[in-house]
Amino acid sequence: MSSNATISANNAAEPSHILNTDHRFWQIIRTVPDFPKVGIDFYDITPLLRSHINEVIDALLAALPDGLMDEVDCLGAVEARGFVFASLLAGRLGKGMILLRKPGKLPPPVANKSYALEYGKDTLEMQNNLPPERVLLVDDILATGGTLTTAYELCQSASHTVVGVLVLLDLVDLHGAFPVPVYTVLKA
């Protein structure tokens, strides 16, 4: 694991004073205040996607403990930016993907679950006729945990085993403990 990566694993909530805000990616990420609504600071990672994507994928892989990918059959790609990271990781690792999408985007049969966001409600769907696999969920940011908790619950209900979550950025003060280890490059 690289010295720039940090891990929040085994459901241990880490105090917010254990952050890695000195990581060089912070100079590239843009903070947009009051978006999508007043009081929310949005971390815009698109500059990283524009010109640092190989470094981001390297950092995501370095955040994982040695041997974890040997336990993973496929990546659970969470719409929408989780698709970007999961696709690039799957291509590099030779792993398959399961898509967790917004309603009406996948052919039936699907399982779905609604959940609350920090600024509204949403629903995720996934195909529920796939053979059980060991899944690593992949998304861009872990904020309140609603989307990733829903993705976890959908995978579990479809008989998949979720071995962990991989995100670029973990907003540690916005969520509680997660049911599986969370691996991350950045914390704020």
Side-chain angles (χ1 to χ4, degrees), residues 82-122:
F83 289 177
V84 174
F85 295 132
S87 295
L88 292 165
L89 288 163
R92 187 164 311 169
L93 297 169
K95 300 282 182 179
M97 293 188 339
I98 293 174
L99 302 178
L100 293 119
R101 303 216 51 195
K102 295 190 179 191
K105 304 293 183 182
L106 294 171
V110 297
N112 65 51
K113 182 166 177 56
S114 295
Y115 61 101
L117 294 167
E118 55 273 30
Y119 48 84
K121 286 186 173 183
D122 214 339

Side-chain angles (χ1 to χ4, degrees), residues 60-161:
L60 286 166
L61 289 171
L64 297 172
D66 289 340
L68 179 70
M69 290 312 297
D70 295 335
E71 300 173 28
V72 172
D73 298 316
C74 67
L75 304 174
V78 181
E79 190 163 330
R81 288 184 291 191
F83 289 177
V84 174
F85 295 132
S87 295
L88 292 165
L89 288 163
R92 187 164 311 169
L93 297 169
K95 300 282 182 179
M97 293 188 339
I98 293 174
L99 302 178
L100 293 119
R101 303 216 51 195
K102 295 190 179 191
K105 304 293 183 182
L106 294 171
V110 297
N112 65 51
K113 182 166 177 56
S114 295
Y115 61 101
L117 294 167
E118 55 273 30
Y119 48 84
K121 286 186 173 183
D122 214 339
T123 300
L124 277 182
E125 290 186 343
M126 68 177 291
Q127 290 183 300
N128 65 359
N129 61 343
L130 302 173
E133 299 193 88
R134 294 169 300 176
V135 177
L136 176 67
L137 292 174
V138 179
D139 206 356
D140 60 338
I141 297 174
L142 173 54
T144 63
T147 303
L148 282 166
T149 297
T150 301
Y152 169 82
E153 291 170 353
L154 275 172
C155 285
Q156 294 287 102
S157 71
S159 299
H160 300 297
T161 301

Side-chain angles (χ1 to χ4, degrees), residues 36-80:
K37 73 177 204 174
V38 175
I40 294 177
D41 286 345
F42 183 85
Y43 294 104
D44 180 11
I45 63 168
T46 54
L48 285 172
L49 299 175
R50 249 189 352 263
S51 54
H52 302 277
I53 195 65
N54 282 325
E55 293 170 65
V56 171
I57 297 307
D58 289 343
L60 286 166
L61 289 171
L64 297 172
D66 289 340
L68 179 70
M69 290 312 297
D70 295 335
E71 300 173 28
V72 172
D73 298 316
C74 67
L75 304 174
V78 181
E79 190 163 330

